[in-house]
Amino acid sequence: MLTLFQHPMLPSCRFIRLAFGENGEELELIEETPWSRRKEFLALNPAGSLPVLLAEGDVSIVGATVIAEYLDETRGILKRDRRLLAENPMDRAEIRRLVDWYLVKLDSEVTRHLVRERVFKPMMPPELGGGSPDSTAIRTARANIKQHMKYTNWLAGSRNWLAGPRLTYADLAAAASLSVLDYLGEVDWRENNAARDWYARVKSRPSFRSLLNDRVRGISPATHYADLDF
Amino acid sequence: MLTLFQHPMLPSCRFIRLAFGENGEELELIEETPWSRRKEFLALNPAGSLPVLLAEGDVSIVGATVIAEYLDETRGILKRDRRLLAENPMDRAEIRRLVDWYLVKLDSEVTRHLVRERVFKPMMPPELGGGSPDSTAIRTARANIKQHMKYTNWLAGSRNWLAGPRLTYADLAAAASLSVLDYLGEVDWRENNAARDWYARVKSRPSFRSLLNDRVRGISPATHYADLDF
Protein backbone atom coordinates (compact mmCIF):
# COMPACT_ATOMS: atom_id res chain seq x y z
CA MET A 1 0.00 0.00 0.00
CA LEU A 2 1.34 3.46 -0.92
CA THR A 3 1.53 6.29 1.61
CA LEU A 4 0.05 9.75 1.23
CA PHE A 5 1.18 12.69 3.35
CA GLN A 6 -1.89 14.90 3.53
CA HIS A 7 -4.18 17.11 5.52
CA PRO A 8 -7.96 16.46 5.53
CA MET A 9 -8.84 20.14 5.04
CA LEU A 10 -6.80 20.60 1.86
CA PRO A 11 -8.75 20.07 -1.40
CA SER A 12 -5.61 18.95 -3.24
CA CYS A 13 -5.15 16.08 -0.75
CA ARG A 14 -8.81 15.06 -0.89
CA PHE A 15 -8.57 15.05 -4.69
CA ILE A 16 -5.76 12.47 -4.59
CA ARG A 17 -7.61 10.31 -2.05
CA LEU A 18 -10.64 10.29 -4.37
CA ALA A 19 -8.49 9.51 -7.40
CA PHE A 20 -6.89 6.48 -5.74
CA GLY A 21 -10.29 5.47 -4.33
CA GLU A 22 -11.79 5.48 -7.84
CA ASN A 23 -8.85 3.35 -8.95
CA GLY A 24 -9.79 0.86 -6.22
CA GLU A 25 -6.52 1.40 -4.40
CA GLU A 26 -6.25 2.13 -0.69
CA LEU A 27 -3.66 4.57 0.63
CA GLU A 28 -2.03 4.78 4.02
CA LEU A 29 -2.75 8.33 5.16
CA ILE A 30 -0.30 10.32 7.26
CA GLU A 31 -1.62 13.62 8.50
CA GLU A 32 0.87 16.43 8.13
CA THR A 33 0.25 19.92 9.48
CA PRO A 34 1.03 22.27 6.59
CA TRP A 35 2.83 24.86 8.71
CA SER A 36 5.02 22.56 10.82
CA ARG A 37 7.87 22.08 8.27
CA ARG A 38 9.09 18.84 9.88
CA LYS A 39 12.64 18.01 8.88
CA GLU A 40 11.73 14.44 7.84
CA PHE A 41 8.93 15.76 5.68
CA LEU A 42 11.11 18.45 4.04
CA ALA A 43 13.50 15.67 3.05
CA LEU A 44 10.65 14.18 0.99
CA ASN A 45 9.56 17.53 -0.40
CA PRO A 46 11.80 20.58 -0.01
CA ALA A 47 8.83 22.80 -0.94
CA GLY A 48 7.09 21.63 2.24
CA SER A 49 3.75 21.50 0.40
CA LEU A 50 1.06 18.82 0.40
CA PRO A 51 0.12 16.27 -0.85
CA VAL A 52 3.15 14.03 -1.24
CA LEU A 53 2.81 10.41 -2.36
CA LEU A 54 5.42 7.88 -1.36
CA ALA A 55 5.26 5.77 -4.49
CA GLU A 56 6.90 2.49 -5.50
CA GLY A 57 10.44 2.28 -4.11
CA ASP A 58 9.65 5.09 -1.63
CA VAL A 59 10.19 7.71 -4.31
CA SER A 60 8.23 10.84 -3.45
CA ILE A 61 5.83 12.29 -5.98
CA VAL A 62 5.06 15.88 -5.09
CA GLY A 63 1.88 17.86 -5.72
CA ALA A 64 -1.70 17.01 -6.61
CA THR A 65 -1.59 17.37 -10.39
CA VAL A 66 1.78 15.64 -10.58
CA ILE A 67 0.44 12.68 -8.56
CA ALA A 68 -2.71 12.58 -10.71
CA GLU A 69 -0.62 12.36 -13.89
CA TYR A 70 1.53 9.66 -12.32
CA LEU A 71 -1.57 7.70 -11.34
CA ASP A 72 -2.93 7.99 -14.87
CA GLU A 73 0.35 6.91 -16.45
CA THR A 74 0.87 3.92 -14.18
CA ARG A 75 -2.75 2.75 -13.60
CA GLY A 76 -5.33 4.90 -15.40
CA ILE A 77 -4.06 3.96 -18.82
CA LEU A 78 -5.28 0.38 -18.25
CA LYS A 79 -8.75 1.35 -17.01
CA ARG A 80 -10.47 1.91 -20.37
CA ASP A 81 -13.88 3.51 -19.79
CA ARG A 82 -13.15 3.98 -16.07
CA ARG A 83 -10.07 6.06 -16.82
CA LEU A 84 -10.19 9.43 -15.04
CA LEU A 85 -8.45 11.27 -17.88
CA ALA A 86 -9.79 11.08 -21.45
CA GLU A 87 -7.89 9.47 -24.36
CA ASN A 88 -8.00 12.45 -26.68
CA PRO A 89 -5.51 15.33 -26.06
CA MET A 90 -8.20 18.05 -26.41
CA ASP A 91 -10.50 16.30 -23.94
CA ARG A 92 -7.55 15.82 -21.57
CA ALA A 93 -6.82 19.55 -21.81
CA GLU A 94 -10.41 20.36 -20.83
CA ILE A 95 -10.21 18.03 -17.81
CA ARG A 96 -6.89 19.56 -16.74
CA ARG A 97 -8.27 23.09 -17.20
CA LEU A 98 -11.05 22.29 -14.75
CA VAL A 99 -8.73 20.58 -12.25
CA ASP A 100 -6.72 23.82 -12.30
CA TRP A 101 -9.88 25.88 -11.98
CA TYR A 102 -10.82 24.18 -8.72
CA LEU A 103 -7.40 23.43 -7.20
CA VAL A 104 -5.80 26.74 -8.16
CA LYS A 105 -8.40 29.42 -8.98
CA LEU A 106 -11.14 28.46 -6.52
CA ASP A 107 -8.43 27.74 -3.98
CA SER A 108 -6.73 31.13 -4.30
CA GLU A 109 -10.01 33.06 -4.38
CA VAL A 110 -11.97 31.13 -1.76
CA THR A 111 -10.92 27.84 -0.18
CA ARG A 112 -7.43 28.55 1.12
CA HIS A 113 -8.59 31.74 2.83
CA LEU A 114 -11.53 30.14 4.60
CA VAL A 115 -9.44 27.14 5.67
CA ARG A 116 -6.60 29.34 6.88
CA GLU A 117 -8.82 31.73 8.83
CA ARG A 118 -11.33 29.24 10.21
CA VAL A 119 -9.33 26.01 10.61
CA PHE A 120 -5.58 26.60 10.66
CA LYS A 121 -5.15 29.93 12.46
CA PRO A 122 -6.84 28.78 15.68
CA MET A 123 -4.47 25.75 15.75
CA MET A 124 -1.26 27.52 14.74
CA PRO A 125 1.20 28.94 17.24
CA PRO A 126 1.21 32.77 17.17
CA GLU A 127 4.83 32.93 15.96
CA LEU A 128 3.82 31.04 12.79
CA GLY A 129 0.83 33.26 12.07
CA GLY A 130 -1.80 31.76 14.38
CA GLY A 131 -4.39 33.94 16.06
CA SER A 132 -7.88 35.24 15.51
CA PRO A 133 -9.42 35.03 12.05
CA ASP A 134 -9.27 38.01 9.69
CA SER A 135 -12.91 38.87 9.04
CA THR A 136 -12.12 40.83 5.86
CA ALA A 137 -10.44 37.77 4.32
CA ILE A 138 -13.46 35.65 5.25
CA ARG A 139 -15.91 38.18 3.81
CA THR A 140 -14.01 38.45 0.52
CA ALA A 141 -13.80 34.66 0.16
CA ARG A 142 -17.53 34.32 0.85
CA ALA A 143 -18.30 36.90 -1.82
CA ASN A 144 -16.09 35.07 -4.33
CA ILE A 145 -17.69 31.67 -3.79
CA LYS A 146 -20.95 32.72 -5.50
CA GLN A 147 -19.38 33.04 -8.95
CA HIS A 148 -17.72 29.62 -8.60
CA MET A 149 -21.01 28.00 -7.61
CA LYS A 150 -22.70 29.59 -10.62
CA TYR A 151 -19.99 28.27 -12.91
CA THR A 152 -20.17 24.80 -11.38
CA ASN A 153 -23.94 24.89 -11.74
CA TRP A 154 -23.60 25.85 -15.39
CA LEU A 155 -21.10 23.03 -16.05
CA ALA A 156 -23.24 20.48 -14.21
CA GLY A 157 -26.35 21.63 -16.06
CA SER A 158 -24.85 21.48 -19.52
CA ARG A 159 -22.86 18.23 -19.30
CA ASN A 160 -23.41 14.84 -17.72
CA TRP A 161 -20.25 15.19 -15.64
CA LEU A 162 -18.27 18.43 -15.31
CA ALA A 163 -15.86 17.79 -18.19
CA GLY A 164 -18.15 15.71 -20.42
CA PRO A 165 -19.88 12.35 -20.63
CA ARG A 166 -17.72 10.51 -18.03
CA LEU A 167 -16.57 10.95 -14.45
CA THR A 168 -13.05 12.43 -14.61
CA TYR A 169 -10.42 14.16 -12.52
CA ALA A 170 -12.43 17.37 -13.09
CA ASP A 171 -15.30 16.02 -10.98
CA LEU A 172 -12.94 14.77 -8.29
CA ALA A 173 -11.08 18.10 -8.03
CA ALA A 174 -14.33 20.06 -7.91
CA ALA A 175 -16.00 17.74 -5.39
CA ALA A 176 -12.85 17.62 -3.24
CA SER A 177 -12.85 21.42 -3.09
CA LEU A 178 -16.56 21.81 -2.47
CA SER A 179 -16.48 19.10 0.20
CA VAL A 180 -14.02 21.16 2.24
CA LEU A 181 -16.24 24.23 1.89
CA ASP A 182 -19.31 22.13 2.66
CA TYR A 183 -17.70 20.80 5.84
CA LEU A 184 -17.37 24.43 6.92
CA GLY A 185 -21.00 25.15 5.97
CA GLU A 186 -19.91 27.66 3.34
CA VAL A 187 -21.84 26.27 0.35
CA ASP A 188 -25.33 27.48 -0.47
CA TRP A 189 -26.81 24.61 -2.47
CA ARG A 190 -30.31 26.03 -2.73
CA GLU A 191 -29.80 28.25 -5.73
CA ASN A 192 -27.65 25.78 -7.60
CA ASN A 193 -29.76 22.70 -8.27
CA ALA A 194 -27.71 21.24 -11.08
CA ALA A 195 -24.55 21.55 -8.98
CA ARG A 196 -26.32 19.94 -6.03
CA ASP A 197 -27.54 16.99 -8.09
CA TRP A 198 -24.06 16.49 -9.51
CA TYR A 199 -22.45 16.75 -6.05
CA ALA A 200 -24.96 14.24 -4.63
CA ARG A 201 -23.90 11.77 -7.34
CA VAL A 202 -20.18 12.20 -6.58
CA LYS A 203 -20.76 12.18 -2.82
CA SER A 204 -22.55 8.82 -2.92
CA ARG A 205 -19.62 7.04 -4.60
CA PRO A 206 -17.68 4.60 -2.38
CA SER A 207 -14.48 6.62 -2.95
CA PHE A 208 -16.09 9.52 -1.08
CA ARG A 209 -16.80 7.66 2.16
CA SER A 210 -13.49 8.29 3.86
CA LEU A 211 -13.83 12.04 3.18
CA LEU A 212 -17.24 12.10 4.83
CA ASN A 213 -15.68 10.56 7.95
CA ASP A 214 -12.98 13.25 8.21
CA ARG A 215 -13.11 15.42 11.31
CA VAL A 216 -10.86 18.28 12.37
CA ARG A 217 -10.21 19.40 15.92
CA GLY A 218 -12.52 22.09 17.18
CA ILE A 219 -14.78 22.31 14.13
CA SER A 220 -17.77 20.05 13.66
CA PRO A 221 -18.93 19.64 10.09
CA ALA A 222 -22.15 21.29 8.88
CA THR A 223 -25.13 19.07 9.82
CA HIS A 224 -25.76 17.94 6.22
CA TYR A 225 -22.05 17.29 5.50
CA ALA A 226 -22.18 13.49 5.49
CA ASP A 227 -25.84 13.31 4.46
CA LEU A 228 -26.17 11.73 1.01
CA ASP A 229 -29.65 13.21 0.63
CA PHE A 230 -28.98 16.86 1.57
CA MET B 1 0.51 28.60 -37.21
CA LEU B 2 -1.12 28.41 -33.78
CA THR B 3 -1.89 31.54 -31.76
CA LEU B 4 -0.81 32.23 -28.18
CA PHE B 5 -2.47 34.87 -26.04
CA GLN B 6 0.28 35.98 -23.69
CA HIS B 7 2.10 38.75 -21.87
CA PRO B 8 5.91 39.04 -22.14
CA MET B 9 6.38 39.60 -18.40
CA LEU B 10 4.60 36.41 -17.32
CA PRO B 11 6.90 33.39 -16.80
CA SER B 12 4.10 30.95 -17.66
CA CYS B 13 3.76 32.57 -21.11
CA ARG B 14 7.51 32.62 -21.72
CA PHE B 15 7.63 28.95 -20.75
CA ILE B 16 5.16 28.05 -23.51
CA ARG B 17 7.00 30.16 -26.09
CA LEU B 18 10.22 28.29 -25.21
CA ALA B 19 8.47 24.92 -25.36
CA PHE B 20 7.10 25.55 -28.86
CA GLY B 21 10.43 27.07 -29.89
CA GLU B 22 12.25 23.89 -28.80
CA ASN B 23 9.72 21.92 -30.83
CA GLY B 24 10.68 24.03 -33.83
CA GLU B 25 7.21 25.51 -34.11
CA GLU B 26 6.52 29.23 -34.43
CA LEU B 27 3.53 30.80 -32.66
CA GLU B 28 1.59 33.90 -33.51
CA LEU B 29 1.76 35.99 -30.33
CA ILE B 30 -1.09 38.21 -29.20
CA GLU B 31 -0.30 40.40 -26.23
CA GLU B 32 -3.07 40.44 -23.67
CA THR B 33 -3.01 42.71 -20.63
CA PRO B 34 -3.79 40.42 -17.69
CA TRP B 35 -6.09 42.89 -15.92
CA SER B 36 -8.13 44.05 -18.90
CA ARG B 37 -10.65 41.17 -18.95
CA ARG B 38 -11.62 41.73 -22.59
CA LYS B 39 -14.95 40.13 -23.43
CA GLU B 40 -13.53 38.33 -26.49
CA PHE B 41 -10.71 36.93 -24.40
CA LEU B 42 -13.02 35.78 -21.59
CA ALA B 43 -14.98 33.84 -24.21
CA LEU B 44 -11.79 31.83 -24.84
CA ASN B 45 -10.97 31.47 -21.15
CA PRO B 46 -13.60 32.34 -18.54
CA ALA B 47 -10.84 32.36 -15.90
CA GLY B 48 -9.29 35.35 -17.68
CA SER B 49 -5.80 33.95 -17.04
CA LEU B 50 -2.81 33.59 -19.37
CA PRO B 51 -1.46 31.86 -21.39
CA VAL B 52 -4.17 30.57 -23.72
CA LEU B 53 -3.29 28.63 -26.85
CA LEU B 54 -5.64 28.62 -29.80
CA ALA B 55 -4.94 25.10 -30.96
CA GLU B 56 -6.06 23.12 -34.01
CA GLY B 57 -9.68 23.96 -34.91
CA ASP B 58 -9.46 27.14 -32.80
CA VAL B 59 -10.06 25.17 -29.62
CA SER B 60 -8.57 27.04 -26.66
CA ILE B 61 -6.14 25.25 -24.38
CA VAL B 62 -5.89 27.10 -21.09
CA GLY B 63 -2.95 27.38 -18.72
CA ALA B 64 0.79 26.75 -19.01
CA THR B 65 0.98 23.20 -17.66
CA VAL B 66 -2.13 22.18 -19.60
CA ILE B 67 -0.63 23.54 -22.84
CA ALA B 68 2.70 21.82 -22.07
CA GLU B 69 0.96 18.46 -21.63
CA TYR B 70 -1.00 19.03 -24.85
CA LEU B 71 2.22 19.85 -26.69
CA ASP B 72 3.86 16.70 -25.36
CA GLU B 73 0.89 14.50 -26.28
CA THR B 74 0.52 15.89 -29.80
CA ARG B 75 4.18 16.59 -30.73
CA GLY B 76 6.63 15.69 -27.97
CA ILE B 77 5.80 12.03 -28.07
CA LEU B 78 7.40 11.80 -31.55
CA LYS B 79 10.61 13.65 -30.62
CA ARG B 80 12.55 10.78 -29.03
CA ASP B 81 15.67 12.18 -27.31
CA ARG B 82 14.55 15.76 -27.96
CA ARG B 83 11.32 15.19 -26.03
CA LEU B 84 10.87 17.77 -23.26
CA LEU B 85 9.19 15.29 -20.91
CA ALA B 86 10.86 11.99 -20.01
CA GLU B 87 9.47 8.58 -20.98
CA ASN B 88 9.44 7.10 -17.47
CA PRO B 89 6.56 8.10 -15.12
CA MET B 90 8.92 8.78 -12.16
CA ASP B 91 11.17 11.01 -14.28
CA ARG B 92 8.11 12.77 -15.65
CA ALA B 93 6.96 13.41 -12.07
CA GLU B 94 10.31 15.01 -11.22
CA ILE B 95 10.10 17.29 -14.27
CA ARG B 96 6.54 18.29 -13.40
CA ARG B 97 7.53 18.91 -9.76
CA LEU B 98 10.15 21.41 -10.90
CA VAL B 99 7.82 23.08 -13.41
CA ASP B 100 5.45 23.61 -10.48
CA TRP B 101 8.30 24.83 -8.31
CA TYR B 102 9.12 27.66 -10.71
CA LEU B 103 5.71 28.51 -12.15
CA VAL B 104 3.82 28.21 -8.85
CA LYS B 105 6.14 28.42 -5.82
CA LEU B 106 8.73 30.89 -7.14
CA ASP B 107 5.90 32.80 -8.77
CA SER B 108 3.85 33.15 -5.60
CA GLU B 109 6.86 33.96 -3.41
CA VAL B 110 8.78 36.22 -5.78
CA THR B 111 8.01 36.77 -9.45
CA ARG B 112 4.35 37.77 -9.42
CA HIS B 113 4.95 40.37 -6.71
CA LEU B 114 7.88 42.03 -8.45
CA VAL B 115 6.07 42.03 -11.80
CA ARG B 116 2.88 43.40 -10.26
CA GLU B 117 4.61 46.15 -8.30
CA ARG B 118 7.25 47.17 -10.81
CA VAL B 119 5.64 46.48 -14.21
CA PHE B 120 1.86 46.23 -13.99
CA LYS B 121 0.86 48.74 -11.31
CA PRO B 122 2.38 51.74 -13.11
CA MET B 123 0.39 50.75 -16.25
CA MET B 124 -2.89 49.83 -14.58
CA PRO B 125 -5.71 52.30 -14.11
CA PRO B 126 -6.18 53.20 -10.42
CA GLU B 127 -9.67 51.63 -10.27
CA LEU B 128 -8.15 48.25 -11.14
CA GLY B 129 -5.40 48.49 -8.55
CA GLY B 130 -2.83 50.63 -10.35
CA GLY B 131 -0.69 53.13 -8.49
CA SER B 132 2.64 53.35 -6.76
CA PRO B 133 4.51 50.16 -5.91
CA ASP B 134 4.23 48.62 -2.44
CA SER B 135 7.77 48.65 -1.10
CA THR B 136 7.07 45.99 1.54
CA ALA B 137 5.91 43.55 -1.15
CA ILE B 138 9.05 44.27 -3.16
CA ARG B 139 11.31 43.82 -0.13
CA THR B 140 9.70 40.50 0.82
CA ALA B 141 9.99 39.18 -2.73
CA ARG B 142 13.65 40.20 -2.89
CA ALA B 143 14.37 38.39 0.36
CA ASN B 144 12.63 35.25 -0.94
CA ILE B 145 14.57 35.11 -4.19
CA LYS B 146 17.82 34.13 -2.42
CA GLN B 147 16.52 30.72 -1.35
CA HIS B 148 15.28 29.99 -4.88
CA MET B 149 18.64 30.92 -6.40
CA LYS B 150 20.40 28.63 -3.92
CA TYR B 151 18.08 25.76 -4.83
CA THR B 152 18.54 26.40 -8.56
CA ASN B 153 22.28 26.52 -8.03
CA TRP B 154 22.18 23.22 -6.17
CA LEU B 155 20.10 21.56 -8.92
CA ALA B 156 22.34 22.94 -11.67
CA GLY B 157 25.45 21.83 -9.79
CA SER B 158 24.32 18.28 -9.16
CA ARG B 159 22.71 17.45 -12.51
CA ASN B 160 23.51 18.17 -16.14
CA TRP B 161 20.16 19.87 -16.66
CA LEU B 162 17.80 20.77 -13.80
CA ALA B 163 15.76 17.55 -13.87
CA GLY B 164 18.49 15.17 -15.04
CA PRO B 165 20.60 14.34 -18.10
CA ARG B 166 18.45 16.09 -20.72
CA LEU B 167 16.92 19.50 -21.37
CA THR B 168 13.29 19.30 -20.22
CA TYR B 169 10.29 21.42 -19.36
CA ALA B 170 11.94 21.93 -15.94
CA ASP B 171 14.75 23.96 -17.53
CA LEU B 172 12.32 25.94 -19.66
CA ALA B 173 10.05 26.79 -16.70
CA ALA B 174 13.03 27.80 -14.55
CA ALA B 175 14.71 29.83 -17.29
CA ALA B 176 11.42 31.49 -18.26
CA SER B 177 10.94 32.60 -14.66
CA LEU B 178 14.50 33.74 -14.11
CA SER B 179 14.51 35.61 -17.43
CA VAL B 180 11.64 37.80 -16.21
CA LEU B 181 13.50 38.50 -12.97
CA ASP B 182 16.72 39.09 -14.90
CA TYR B 183 14.98 41.61 -17.18
CA LEU B 184 14.12 43.51 -14.00
CA GLY B 185 17.71 43.23 -12.73
CA GLU B 186 16.58 41.20 -9.72
CA VAL B 187 18.92 38.21 -10.10
CA ASP B 188 22.29 38.16 -8.39
CA TRP B 189 24.29 35.68 -10.48
CA ARG B 190 27.63 36.24 -8.74
CA GLU B 191 27.11 33.86 -5.86
CA ASN B 192 25.47 31.17 -7.95
CA ASN B 193 27.98 30.01 -10.52
CA ALA B 194 26.39 26.68 -11.36
CA ALA B 195 23.03 28.40 -11.90
CA ARG B 196 24.69 31.03 -14.07
CA ASP B 197 26.45 28.46 -16.26
CA TRP B 198 23.20 26.55 -16.67
CA TYR B 199 21.27 29.75 -17.49
CA ALA B 200 23.90 30.79 -20.03
CA ARG B 201 23.42 27.43 -21.78
CA VAL B 202 19.62 27.81 -21.93
CA LYS B 203 19.86 31.48 -22.88
CA SER B 204 22.02 30.76 -25.92
CA ARG B 205 19.49 28.35 -27.45
CA PRO B 206 17.68 29.62 -30.56
CA SER B 207 14.33 29.18 -28.76
CA PHE B 208 15.38 31.93 -26.32
CA ARG B 209 16.00 34.64 -28.92
CA SER B 210 12.50 36.04 -29.05
CA LEU B 211 12.46 36.40 -25.24
CA LEU B 212 15.66 38.40 -25.31
CA ASN B 213 14.02 40.82 -27.75
CA ASP B 214 11.01 41.42 -25.49
CA ARG B 215 10.59 44.96 -24.22
CA VAL B 216 7.92 46.42 -21.97
CA ARG B 217 6.79 50.03 -21.88
CA GLY B 218 8.61 52.21 -19.39
CA ILE B 219 11.13 49.60 -18.19
CA SER B 220 14.41 48.95 -19.94
CA PRO B 221 15.94 45.55 -19.30
CA ALA B 222 19.04 45.18 -17.11
CA THR B 223 22.15 45.89 -19.20
CA HIS B 224 23.26 42.23 -19.27
CA TYR B 225 19.74 40.94 -20.06
CA ALA B 226 20.31 40.01 -23.69
CA ASP B 227 24.03 39.38 -23.25
CA LEU B 228 24.89 35.72 -23.84
CA ASP B 229 28.18 36.13 -21.99
CA PHE B 230 26.99 37.91 -18.82
Side-chain angles (χ1 to χ4, degrees):
Chain A
M1 193 189 304
L2 304 186
T3 301
L4 186 74
F5 292 83
Q6 59 98 39
H7 190 285
M9 283 290 118
L10 295 181
S12 53
C13 300
R14 290 187 161 214
F15 166 59
I16 295 303
R17 289 162 63 195
L18 289 175
F20 273 86
E22 288 293 329
N23 265 276
E25 192 169 341
E26 226 183 307
L27 291 171
E28 187 190 346
L29 300 180
I30 296 189
E31 188 171 323
E32 191 69 31
T33 45
W35 59 85
S36 69
R37 301 188 62 80
R38 281 195 310 128
K39 224 174 129 186
E40 298 80 0
F41 179 63
L42 288 176
L44 295 178
N45 174 18
S49 58
L50 292 168
V52 174
L53 178 75
L54 263 197
E56 290 77 7
D58 285 349
V59 176
S60 48
I61 312 273
V62 171
T65 53
V66 179
I67 297 172
E69 298 289 344
Y70 178 80
L71 180 66
D72 181 66
E73 288 167 0
T74 54
R75 280 86 159 164
I77 207 166
L78 309 166
K79 294 274 171 178
R80 294 166 184 271
D81 61 341
R82 291 183 51 238
R83 189 174 184 179
L84 297 162
L85 261 178
E87 306 290 330
N88 175 301
M90 292 271 184
D91 296 341
R92 292 163 72 83
E94 173 64 358
I95 294 166
R96 291 181 178 122
R97 176 183 78 85
L98 290 172
V99 169
D100 255 31
W101 184 290
Y102 290 97
L103 297 189
V104 179
K105 188 176 167 67
L106 174 65
D107 194 63
S108 69
E109 290 172 3
V110 178
T111 327
R112 96 165 54 151
H113 304 287
L114 291 171
V115 169
R116 185 186 60 234
E117 301 302 328
R118 295 193 50 201
V119 184
F120 292 162
K121 267 193 174 174
M123 296 184 193
M124 286 162 81
E127 66 275 18
L128 295 177
S132 32
D134 172 346
S135 57
T136 311
I138 293 182
R139 214 168 26 241
T140 310
R142 283 182 179 156
N144 288 341
I145 200 176
K146 292 200 175 68
Q147 207 54 41
H148 287 279
M149 288 309 298
K150 265 173 89 169
Y151 188 55
T152 306
N153 200 56
W154 177 80
L155 288 171
S158 46
R159 300 166 171 184
N160 189 21
W161 296 93
L162 295 193
R166 273 175 15 194
L167 177 90
T168 68
Y169 280 152
D171 301 283
L172 304 186
S177 303
L178 293 179
S179 72
V180 169
L181 294 169
D182 198 42
Y183 184 103
L184 297 173
E186 298 283 0
V187 183
D188 185 354
W189 295 107
R190 287 169 309 175
E191 289 180 4
N192 299 291
N193 286 329
R196 191 182 55 201
D197 292 350
W198 158 82
Y199 185 63
R201 277 190 290 150
V202 186
K203 195 175 175 179
S204 60
R205 298 180 74 87
S207 67
F208 224 84
R209 263 178 230 148
S210 97
L211 272 58
L212 299 179
N213 290 327
D214 280 343
R215 292 296 176 273
V216 282
R217 205 177 72 194
I219 305 188
S220 306
T223 48
H224 63 267
Y225 172 67
D227 191 350
L228 295 184
D229 187 23
F230 57 106
Chain B
M1 195 188 302
L2 303 186
T3 301
L4 186 74
F5 292 82
Q6 59 99 37
H7 189 283
M9 283 290 118
L10 294 181
S12 53
C13 299
R14 290 186 162 217
F15 166 58
I16 294 304
R17 289 163 62 195
L18 289 174
F20 274 86
E22 287 294 328
N23 265 278
E25 193 169 338
E26 227 185 304
L27 290 172
E28 186 190 347
L29 300 180
I30 297 188
E31 187 170 323
E32 191 69 31
T33 45
W35 60 84
S36 70
R37 301 187 63 76
R38 280 197 308 129
K39 222 174 133 190
E40 297 79 3
F41 180 63
L42 289 175
L44 296 178
N45 174 17
S49 57
L50 293 167
V52 173
L53 178 75
L54 263 198
E56 290 77 7
D58 284 349
V59 176
S60 48
I61 313 274
V62 172
T65 54
V66 179
I67 297 171
E69 297 290 343
Y70 178 79
L71 180 65
D72 182 66
E73 288 167 0
T74 53
R75 279 87 159 164
I77 207 166
L78 308 166
K79 295 271 172 180
R80 295 169 184 270
D81 63 341
R82 292 185 48 238
R83 189 175 183 180
L84 298 162
L85 260 177
E87 305 290 329
N88 175 301
M90 292 271 183
D91 296 341
R92 292 164 69 85
E94 174 64 358
I95 294 165
R96 290 181 178 122
R97 176 182 79 83
L98 289 171
V99 170
D100 255 31
W101 185 290
Y102 290 98
L103 297 190
V104 180
K105 188 175 167 68
L106 174 64
D107 194 65
S108 70
E109 290 172 3
V110 180
T111 327
R112 97 165 54 150
H113 305 288
L114 292 172
V115 170
R116 187 187 56 234
E117 301 303 327
R118 294 193 50 202
V119 184
F120 292 163
K121 265 190 175 177
M123 294 185 198
M124 285 162 79
E127 67 275 17
L128 295 177
S132 33
D134 172 347
S135 57
T136 311
I138 292 181
R139 214 168 27 243
T140 310
R142 284 181 178 157
N144 288 340
I145 201 175
K146 292 201 173 66
Q147 208 51 42
H148 287 279
M149 288 310 297
K150 265 173 89 169
Y151 189 55
T152 305
N153 200 56
W154 176 81
L155 288 171
S158 47
R159 301 166 169 181
N160 189 20
W161 296 93
L162 296 193
R166 273 180 8 200
L167 176 90
T168 68
Y169 280 152
D171 301 283
L172 304 186
S177 303
L178 293 179
S179 72
V180 169
L181 294 169
D182 198 42
Y183 184 102
L184 297 172
E186 298 284 359
V187 183
D188 185 355
W189 294 107
R190 288 167 309 176
E191 289 181 4
N192 298 292
N193 286 329
R196 191 183 51 199
D197 291 350
W198 157 84
Y199 185 63
R201 277 191 287 150
V202 185
K203 196 175 173 178
S204 59
R205 297 181 74 87
S207 67
F208 224 83
R209 261 178 231 149
S210 96
L211 273 58
L212 298 179
N213 290 328
D214 280 343
R215 292 296 176 272
V216 281
R217 206 178 68 194
I219 305 187
S220 305
T223 48
H224 62 269
Y225 173 66
D227 190 350
L228 295 183
D229 188 23
F230 57 107

